[in-house]
Amino acid sequence: MAQAWKCAGLRWAADGPVLTWVGGRRSALVRGKRVAFGVAEGGVRTCVGARGHACPVRAGVSGRSTGARCEECARLDRAHSVAADTMADDPRPYRVYLAWFGPGLVKVGITAYERGSARLLEQGAVCFSWLGCGPLMAARRTEELLRAALGVPDRIPYAHKRAVRAALPESEAERAAEIAGLHARAVALGGWPEALTPEPFGGVDHAGVFGIAGAERGPAAVAEVAELVAGGAIGGELVAAAGPDLHLATERGVAVLDTRLMTGWELVSAEGEPCAVPLRELKRAAGVQDGLF
């Protein structure tokens, strides 16, 4: 019987995306190489637990869940997070950023200074700029100020990010224009916390890193994986990777696999296996021609 591994998620390292596995194993993901795996017959997806602890009841979770946690573990995981404002005494410095995912898709957010741009890569930000740096609560207040004054959200659904990837502007300057304008408007606002040190605009572009624009662009995706299933398999050439998403060229066309759907499953090698997981047509932004699927 083939050895099975449990995926612990996708991480972005300095040299690109890496799949991590329970137990410490890591698999570097290189564009142009084949990525293939399957779920054993009779396999069951189980909760990944919370805060580094296993789920006490090994609860089953839906194949369509991107969190892969049961209700109780999801509650515990969020109860001690920066996003839930339950860590107000965190002494680390934080940065406020503006991130752009495509035309009209800009968000404001914060990330620990020590993480650098890792958070932006994990979210699939096509380009971004820092706004300022300071204590956690000063960063949080600045984030709220921009949301209220400029109408910039702090979250964008991944479905919206995927929908615009086939229609990104070709040049870095065009891709940075929207956040450059918002950065200037943000700096001009009054009411910034005194503890937050503003940072000048400096657009950082990830389109080439992801393989979704310019000379690095691979073929456009036409479908996305809805879920993994027991006995199913998927494999294909990796043509792009953005945030948690892998764009795989399969015999059914380029399909986007959200690697968060992999966690909680026991996965095995599936070299040469046909694509046998539920796919759905990838929604496109207005004005983008659909591929054949």
Side-chain angles (χ1 to χ4, degrees):
M1 181 180 292
Q3 183 172 6
W5 296 86
K6 270 203 168 186
C7 182
L10 185 146
R11 300 289 182 271
W12 279 86
D15 53 353
V18 176
L19 277 177
T20 62
W21 306 88
V22 173
R25 182 186 176 202
R26 295 163 62 87
S27 302
L29 297 169
V30 181
R31 288 206 305 275
K33 300 295 185 181
R34 181 172 173 81
V35 175
F37 60 88
V39 180
E41 289 285 356
V44 176
R45 192 183 192 199
T46 56
C47 174
V48 297
R51 317 303 296 176
H53 300 286
C55 176
V57 297
R58 289 182 53 82
V61 292
S62 166
R64 294 179 179 247
S65 166
T66 54
R69 289 186 173 90
C70 66
E71 185 175 339
E72 181 62 17
C73 286
R75 185 187 65 78
L76 290 173
D77 189 68
R78 186 168 176 79
H80 301 283
S81 69
V82 170
D85 283 335
T86 57
M87 298 176 62
D89 58 348
D90 188 339
R92 297 176 298 170
Y94 277 77
R95 273 176 147 171
V96 186
Y97 61 80
L98 285 170
W100 183 88
F101 301 90
L105 295 182
V106 180
K107 66 159 284 187
V108 61
I110 68 173
T111 185
Y113 184 91
E114 64 194 34
R115 298 207 66 209
S117 62
R119 178 66 178 148
L120 286 305
L121 289 163
E122 291 168 359
Q123 292 184 50
V126 178
C127 64
F128 78 94
S129 175
W130 302 120
L131 267 170
C133 182
L136 171 58
M137 296 314 294
R140 180 65 83 199
R141 285 195 295 272
T142 305
E143 181 186 42
E144 292 297 326
L145 171 66
L146 267 62
R147 288 177 58 195
L150 302 182
V152 184
D154 63 351
R155 294 183 185 181
I156 294 176
Y158 277 97
H160 296 175
K161 300 175 188 178
R162 296 180 190 120
V164 299
R165 285 187 193 147
L168 297 176
E170 284 296 323
S171 72
E172 289 191 17
E174 289 177 288
R175 293 193 291 268
E178 200 167 348
I179 54 171
L182 278 171
H183 188 284
R185 291 172 60 194
V187 171
L189 290 173
W192 280 50
E194 292 184 3
L196 194 96
T197 303
E199 297 189 43
F201 178 78
V204 178
D205 195 276
H206 290 151
V209 176
F210 292 157
I212 56 175
E216 299 296 324
R217 177 181 288 175
V222 296
E224 61 183 337
V225 176
E227 62 180 317
L228 302 185
V229 293
I234 184 170
E237 177 189 343
L238 181 65
V239 296
D245 294 344
L246 304 182
H247 293 220
L248 302 176
T250 77
E251 71 277 8
R252 296 168 64 181
V254 175
V256 179
L257 169 64
D258 185 337
T259 53
R260 296 175 299 171
L261 296 174
M262 297 169 61
T263 56
W265 287 106
E266 295 274 358
L267 302 174
V268 297
S269 176
E271 291 297 331
E273 294 290 330
C275 180
V277 294
L279 299 181
R280 59 184 171 227
E281 186 174 358
L282 185 66
K283 293 182 179 179
R284 301 286 190 181
V288 181
Q289 182 177 357
D290 287 338
L292 296 177
F293 172 61

